[in-house]
Amino acid sequence: MQPERRLSLRFRFDAPAEVSWENSASKITARVTEIGPSGCYLQMASPADTGSSVFIKVFAEGSFFEAHATVVYSQPNMGMGVAFRDLKPYFVGELKKWLLAAMHAKQKPRP
């Protein structure tokens, strides 16, 4: 079992996503199952290696969020945890809306 590396809480979340490796046009579908202010967990069959730079786009509640991210940990055939970086102000606002909704959905945060 890997030690906990998250910088902040994550909340249960369910949304489709697209993942692409930076500087690549190909996209892989994934599912966001947890999200927080600094990152998320992407459930997918072929996750990137730890340390890889990826670009993610998440679709929820009639809008979308996109960010460059770094893979913090990778679980073969399961998924990967990513840390967001260089967020644009518009997408910070969208992320905050989703996090507020997740907090008010009476869900317990994932430690």
Side-chain angles (χ1 to χ4, degrees):
M1 182 151 176
Q2 296 180 340
E4 183 62 46
R5 297 181 188 166
R6 293 183 194 152
L7 299 175
S8 61
L9 294 177
R10 287 193 190 163
F11 295 89
R12 288 183 185 94
F13 195 72
D14 184 34
E18 294 176 347
V19 179
S20 59
W21 280 248
E22 289 194 354
N23 304 317
S24 172
S26 63
K27 297 175 185 171
I28 296 174
T29 59
R31 190 120 206 122
V32 176
T33 58
E34 296 178 351
I35 197 164
S38 61
C40 68
Y41 184 80
L42 294 155
Q43 187 177 47
M44 56 195 299
S46 300
D49 293 331
T50 300
S52 297
S53 292
V54 295
F55 182 76
I56 64 169
K57 195 168 187 177
V58 181
F59 305 89
E61 298 181 11
S63 64
F64 70 96
F65 165 83
E66 62 183 33
H68 293 274
T70 301
V71 178
V72 179
Y73 65 95
S74 183
Q75 300 171 307
N77 302 313
M78 293 180 63
M80 61 188 182
V82 300
F84 304 139
R85 61 177 206 277
D86 306 326
L87 293 177
K88 293 184 179 175
Y90 173 80
F91 294 118
V92 170
E94 287 301 306
L95 180 60
K96 284 181 180 178
K97 284 186 218 175
W98 294 352
L99 292 173
L100 283 171
M103 285 188 281
H104 288 87
K106 297 184 180 181
Q107 298 177 12
K108 292 184 180 182
R110 304 283 307 230

